[in-house]
Amino acid sequence: MTADILLALDQGTTSTRTIAFDAALAPLAMAQEELPQHFPSPGWVEHEPEDIWRGAVATLRGALAKAGAAASRVAGIGITNQRETTLLWDRATGRCLHRAIVWQDRRTADHCARLRAEGLELLLTDRSGLLADPYFSATKLAWLLDNVAGARAAAERGSLAFGTVDSFLLWRLTGGRVHATDATNAARTMLFDIRHGAWDDELLRIFRIPRAVLPEVRDCAAEFGVTDAALLGAPIPVRGMAGDQHAATIGQGCFAPGMVKSTYGTGCFAMLNTGADQVASRNRLLTTIAYQLGGVRTYALEGAIFVAGAAVQWLRDGLGIIRDAAEAGVLAAQADPAQHVVMVPAFTGLGAPHWDADARAAIHGLTRGSGRAEICRAALESVAFQTRDLVDAMLADWPAAGDTVLRVDGGMVASDWTMQFLADLLGAPVDRPVVRETTALGAAYLAGLQAGLLAAPGVSGASHWRLERRFTPAMPRAEAARRHALWQDAVRRTLSS
């Protein structure tokens, strides 16, 4: 029987899904499960590792069943994941010592402040491309080693394994035979030298991380091992792995320097392909590995927004002013244009280019005439405003990018109203693809590339990307500038210092 199906396991912050694709990367079936989040203290965000694992197995099985395919037809699994989320488990039992600490978690803000006060951020940025912020894995792992009884001693004995979600799932899928990650996930730990492509001894010393807990680092398309036959009915090779934003960059076909994509999920992440250039940001963006294939690293500038779709979730679950996400766009279109309500959604701090872990969300400009519609509009507009800040910073850091066409994906791009406002504010085209699950598409592409089913990146490698709709700017530039100035004023009022 021909192995002609690719499975993309997409483990995200609020859900886990698996999509089955055919050999031409057309989606065949999808299975999805929600993933609960836990908030044990203000600013703390956790997941139960067993919830992550159960969701992965259930959706892998579900997608296969819906596609009506046997496991023997699967040419490979591609894994993509929420990045920076940190797990620590016992190598003998596979059980985690603590809940997973999610990328949004801010419990290590004081640790990061100490690193900055000690003058270490310049070194951290030079080696890892990252900033001293709780967002990344290193301080999370240090917290686990220091706060879970016996963890540090066990880690130093070599009894424990650290991993981001991809590495944890690979360990479980292969029955504990493989402890590995890929270059993109390694690049988000603040322990990895992105110039030399290796774990860095000095960074490990700064964070007091024993090298024994670290996974092996491989290309994004590689032989990562095979699954236990009992899980899915037959052993299946795992052949692709990339952090979610890197997989989305691949899924969007952004293989040429200057191409930029932005993913709108729980947060928002924009990534500009800079090719072989490891661009040092002057505007507090991140320098990262876009992808690594055949041992060759392609770099990117990235801006991270912590809250995008999560703001709409808050409107639904926190305020109870909408029944579902789609209603936000309907109400936004009905908002009073004379109202100038601005939401700064800093529920877990502000990401790039501000990096203020202590900022908290605020709504500015409320009047007695402000209602549900105006608040919904402000929540959706905040996503465009934050994207504008990121794109402006990217183009200032790397003018070689030239004119911008933004390729978008993620749940929020279903809102035509939001995408049109984004194009208006950027003054640039916004392209929405036919397949909007580009994170899963990128993971499937990596698995298909390693399996020999798909062509290497280049003109032919981007043929899986197809345009569904282009949004072009319609708002006068003066009006866009006025609206952006209101946003910038609101941010200044919201910053913690």
Side-chain angles (χ1 to χ4, degrees), residues 328-330 380 411-420 432 436 471:
V330 175
L380 296 180
M412 292 193 78
V413 306
S415 169
D416 290 353
W417 188 94
T418 306
M419 293 302 99
Q420 183 58 54
R432 185 169 66 192
R436 299 179 193 175
F471 297 85

Side-chain angles (χ1 to χ4, degrees), residues 254-296:
C254 292
F255 294 120
M259 298 185 75
V260 59
K261 73 88 197 174
S262 192
T263 298
Y264 298 95
T266 303
C268 165
F269 302 87
M271 193 171 284
L272 168 66
N273 185 327
T274 61
D277 293 346
Q278 188 180 327
V279 178
S281 176
R282 299 180 301 276
N283 294 285
R284 296 182 64 77
L285 298 177
L286 307 176
T287 305
T288 194
I289 297 172
Y291 49 85
Q292 180 174 306
L293 297 171
V296 177

Side-chain angles (χ1 to χ4, degrees), residues 181-471:
T181 187
D182 81 288
T184 67
N185 278 294
R188 310 299 295 193
T189 61
M190 214 188 300
L191 301 171
F192 193 72
D193 183 331
I194 63 171
R195 182 177 295 109
H196 297 103
W199 299 116
D200 185 88
D201 287 332
E202 192 162 7
L203 297 179
L204 294 174
R205 179 188 59 78
I206 289 170
F207 292 102
R208 299 179 61 229
I209 306 299
R211 181 177 279 273
V213 303
L214 300 174
E216 178 190 343
V217 181
R218 301 179 183 176
D219 284 351
C220 298
E223 298 297 333
F224 286 96
V226 297
T227 66
D228 274 353
L231 286 173
L232 301 170
I236 300 175
V238 179
R239 286 178 157 158
M241 191 178 287
D244 50 10
Q245 305 314 315
H246 313 266
T249 300
I250 293 165
Q252 288 278 27
C254 292
F255 294 120
M259 298 185 75
V260 59
K261 73 88 197 174
S262 192
T263 298
Y264 298 95
T266 303
C268 165
F269 302 87
M271 193 171 284
L272 168 66
N273 185 327
T274 61
D277 293 346
Q278 188 180 327
V279 178
S281 176
R282 299 180 301 276
N283 294 285
R284 296 182 64 77
L285 298 177
L286 307 176
T287 305
T288 194
I289 297 172
Y291 49 85
Q292 180 174 306
L293 297 171
V296 177
R297 288 177 290 283
T298 295
Y299 293 97
L301 281 171
E302 181 181 335
I305 296 168
F306 296 153
V307 173
V312 178
Q313 256 185 340
W314 177 71
L315 297 180
R316 184 192 67 191
D317 302 335
L319 291 187
I321 64 174
I322 58 173
R323 293 181 299 274
D324 55 53
E327 191 178 1
V330 175
L331 284 168
Q334 299 169 2
D336 180 0
Q339 296 278 335
H340 302 301
V341 179
V342 179
M343 177 189 289
V344 182
F347 296 101
T348 55
L350 283 171
H354 310 288
W355 294 106
D356 186 344
D358 296 320
R360 288 297 175 261
I363 301 177
H364 299 268
L366 289 171
T367 71
R368 286 292 299 274
S370 304
R372 289 197 307 150
E374 288 71 33
I375 292 173
C376 286
R377 183 183 65 187
L380 296 180
E381 286 181 344
S382 73
V383 175
F385 287 131
Q386 291 177 99
T387 305
R388 165 76 183 269
D389 289 346
L390 295 184
V391 171
D392 285 352
M394 285 176 170
L395 297 181
D397 277 338
W398 203 58
D403 293 335
T404 303
V405 175
L406 185 66
R407 290 187 171 184
V408 296
D409 57 85
M412 292 193 78
V413 306
S415 169
D416 290 353
W417 188 94
T418 306
M419 293 302 99
Q420 183 58 54
F421 184 75
L422 178 59
D424 289 341
L425 199 68
L426 292 176
V430 171
D431 284 357
R432 185 169 66 192
V434 171
V435 178
R436 299 179 193 175
E437 298 292 349
T438 54
T439 303
L441 183 65
Y445 172 80
L446 290 170
L449 177 64
Q450 182 66 21
L453 296 179
L454 298 169
V459 176
S460 61
S463 63
H464 60 265
W465 188 90
R466 290 184 295 132
L467 178 68
E468 182 262 332
R469 178 173 173 181
R470 169 168 284 187
F471 297 85

Side-chain angles (χ1 to χ4, degrees), residues 28-50:
L28 299 174
M30 181 181 78
Q32 180 170 344
E33 290 200 358
E34 288 194 10
L35 176 64
Q37 288 182 298
H38 303 274
F39 308 96
S41 295
W44 292 29
V45 189
E46 297 178 348
H47 287 147
E48 287 288 355
E50 297 308 315

